[in-house]
Amino acid sequence: MAVLITGGTGYIGSHTVAELSAEGVDVVIADNFFNSKPKTLDILREITGREIKFHEADVGDKAALEKIFSENDITAVVHFAGYKAVAESVSKPLGYYGNNIRGALALLETMGERGCKSLIFSSSATVYGIPENVPVTEESPLSAINPYGRTKLIIEDMCRDLCNSDDGWSITLLRYFNPVGAHKSGKLREDPNGAPNNLMPVMLKAAAGEIPELGVFGNDYPTPDGTCIRDYIHVVDLAKGHVAALKAMKKGVHAYNLGTGKGYSVLEIIETFKRVTGADLPCKIVPRRAGDAAECWSDPSKAKRELNWEAGFSLEEMCKDAAAAAGLLL
Ligand code: UFG
């Protein structure tokens, strides 16, 4: 019996593999290394001390999926694999629909055919669009404001339709807020192929002197210091959320916010990062980035109630662990 982890060598996927393995769960990874590196597999085997089965495969390739299901006794799937860069999704929408939707469809079809009907899907707070009210609950209105977000919403809809059509399915939609930080070993971390777009990886590059400065996207938002507020969550907390979700799987489709329930502004993150790392972090206020909500942070109480999970790491630990894994701490 094993759990298939698609995208298991990526940022959140690899941390989840580490946490599941630590709980004694046998995992099988499928990944095509589109946005990850083969060395992550060696690191996972070293950290967990376990032989982790791996298939180099594109999740949209049904023949490859069928092979994986025929060679392993897969009882549940955690589906991370997908493209996730918001700006790129605007310039290459068909690439995003093609990859993300095709992957989910091929996976759900294969799972159904094989009688494996337990899925955890990597959704995102992006499904709340620009929230009307914060904190957002799972009942907040759903909308998408870019093709990436629409792929998440479409896949959530596919899961809802599937559960309506067949009561044999158990599907958990985990809506992640802003994952940051890294594994305590310092060996697993966010290590995207290509230029980063998200705040923490850009901050790390600016602190390392690899880019001249961090551009802060706007300081004229209706927030106390004028910069956007987000719910940053340590990636290890997020990974543990998957362990909790797997233990609590139940029939039907169920959505959960995985966040801390606290919002921090961009300037607060920068200040915290500088304080805990002692790093020099050159910053400059630049114009707003299109599509950014002023505030997006979670009400995570449903996950606490039903999954018996809550985030434990502080913002200081998130900054410290991210900087340590990037080699910025002595
Ligand atoms: N920011 C900067 N400068 C940068 C990068 C980001 O000021 O160089 C700011 C953004 O304007 C935003 C905050 O930092 O206010 C966080 O931005 P990120 O790009 O790190 O994260 P987002 O909140 O925009 O998006 C993230 C994920 C999405 C997901 C979304 C859900 O990247 O995949 O959270 O809320 F959909």
Side-chain angles (χ1 to χ4, degrees):
M1 286 197 342
V3 177
L4 174 63
I5 316 283
T6 74
T9 58
Y11 176 44
I12 307 173
S14 62
H15 285 82
T16 300
V17 168
E19 294 305 318
L20 285 171
S21 297
E23 292 278 319
V25 176
D26 281 329
V27 302
V28 174
I29 298 177
D31 207 312
N32 64 359
F33 299 123
F34 174 79
N35 198 23
S36 62
K37 298 181 176 63
K39 71 167 192 235
T40 302
L41 272 177
D42 301 327
I43 295 169
L44 281 170
R45 287 173 179 143
E46 183 193 323
I47 287 175
T48 63
R50 291 165 71 104
E51 181 44 42
I52 293 170
K53 280 197 191 167
F54 174 75
H55 294 263
E56 186 163 352
D58 185 323
V59 67
D61 177 349
K62 233 184 136 201
L65 283 178
E66 273 159 14
K67 188 166 181 291
I68 295 170
F69 275 83
S70 65
E71 288 178 7
N72 302 278
D73 180 16
I74 305 292
T75 51
V77 178
V78 187
H79 181 40
F80 291 102
Y83 294 168
K84 59 164 195 165
V86 173
E88 187 185 53
S89 80
V90 175
S91 60
K92 297 178 185 163
L94 297 186
Y96 272 66
Y97 289 116
N99 185 68
N100 292 2
I101 306 298
R102 191 181 297 132
L105 190 58
L107 180 65
L108 288 168
E109 283 175 355
T110 311
M111 289 176 68
E113 285 155 17
R114 296 276 168 176
C116 169
K117 296 185 174 179
S118 295
L119 174 76
I120 294 178
F121 173 59
S122 279
S123 190
S124 163
T126 194
V127 299
Y128 298 116
I130 305 269
E132 277 167 31
N133 296 299
V134 281
V136 289
T137 72
E138 290 78 0
E139 277 69 50
S140 295
L142 302 180
S143 72
I145 53 168
N146 52 60
Y148 158 74
R150 253 180 295 283
T151 66
K152 292 290 182 194
L153 210 44
I154 290 168
I155 297 169
E156 283 206 358
D157 282 335
M158 283 163 59
C159 293
R160 282 184 276 268
D161 288 340
L162 188 58
C163 287
N164 281 337
S165 74
D166 176 350
D167 59 15
W169 283 86
S170 304
I171 301 187
T172 302
L173 309 170
L174 296 181
R175 296 177 180 154
Y176 312 147
F177 283 70
N178 290 61
V180 294
H183 194 259
K184 286 283 175 213
S185 66
K187 291 177 177 167
L188 293 176
R189 66 190 174 101
E190 188 167 19
D191 191 10
N193 295 337
N197 306 295
N198 294 115
L199 181 61
M200 183 59 78
V202 175
M203 272 172 57
L204 294 170
K205 281 211 175 286
E210 291 170 31
I211 54 173
E213 65 205 359
L214 165 71
V216 175
F217 295 141
N219 65 350
D220 56 354
Y221 285 94
T223 61
D225 67 20
T227 64
C228 295
I229 294 178
R230 295 287 181 276
D231 185 340
Y232 297 89
I233 173 167
H234 197 295
V235 66
V236 172
D237 276 332
L238 200 56
K240 288 179 192 289
H242 295 73
V243 178
L246 200 59
K247 285 184 185 156
M249 289 296 287
K250 57 183 178 189
K251 288 277 165 19
V253 61
H254 305 275
Y256 299 96
N257 286 342
L258 295 188
T260 64
K262 293 188 202 84
Y264 291 101
S265 73
V266 177
L267 294 184
E268 284 175 312
I269 308 292
I270 292 170
E271 280 319 305
T272 308
F273 184 89
K274 286 183 141 139
R275 179 162 45 79
V276 301
T277 64
D280 180 29
L281 181 60
C283 302
K284 186 172 138 188
I285 306 293
V286 296
R288 288 183 177 196
R289 179 173 71 177
D292 274 340
E295 290 191 52
C296 184
W297 48 282
S298 71
D299 174 345
S301 56
K302 185 180 174 195
K304 184 173 181 191
R305 229 173 23 248
E306 295 187 15
L307 304 181
N308 196 24
W309 169 90
E310 65 184 319
F313 289 102
S314 65
L315 188 62
E316 281 76 10
E317 287 168 301
M318 297 180 213
C319 291
K320 210 171 181 173
D321 292 346
L328 289 171
L329 293 184
L330 291 179

